[in-house]
Amino acid sequence: MLQTYHDERHYAAEVTTKYASDLLFSVIEKGVSTLNSMDHLAVTVGYKYNSTAIVKENFDTPHRIDQLELNGRPGTRAPHMWLKYQDKCISTLDLIGENFVLFTGEDNSLWRTATRNISSHLGLPINVYSIGSQGDCVESEDSWEALYDVTVTSQRAVLIRPDGFVA
């Protein structure tokens, strides 16, 4: 991840700086900003990373930066979703931050075994959580498959980096 820092952050910093500058000059000149129709939150957290640390996937619709779209696509921030975990109501974001995190469907024994092997081999801790009515985490409101744009199947999974971005 450190080797891809420039590739990922440079674009995000460039867009954010351009947006802030455009807004400032718009106010000073009382003109119309070319970017002020953009969602402020989308500019600050809705950007997408592109680097060798992110799986490349083809989507029918391109990622947009003018509106916030947190949909679990590789390179975007992991979306929030309410879950019941260990008898507490928490956000998916509460599970992210210290280690890599793998979200899976309920039947995740193959994912757990593979993750344990990879984690041991690389010396890299990876937390695995199954999501579903019988999983480690029970969905409170939304469907994690829909929110994370994962086809409904027990074999799908989403890997999230410690920085909260979908790998």
Side-chain angles (χ1 to χ4, degrees), residues 12 18 45 48 53 69 73 77-78 112 139 167:
K18 180 171 176 18
V45 299
K48 181 180 178 195
E69 290 182 348
R73 287 185 174 181
R77 287 185 189 271
R112 283 195 190 275
E139 301 157 316

Side-chain angles (χ1 to χ4, degrees), residues 104-111 150-157:
T104 71
E106 292 175 328
D107 179 20
N108 73 353
S109 58
L110 293 175
W111 281 114
V150 177
T151 305
V152 180
T153 172
S154 61
Q155 301 304 312
R156 297 292 186 159

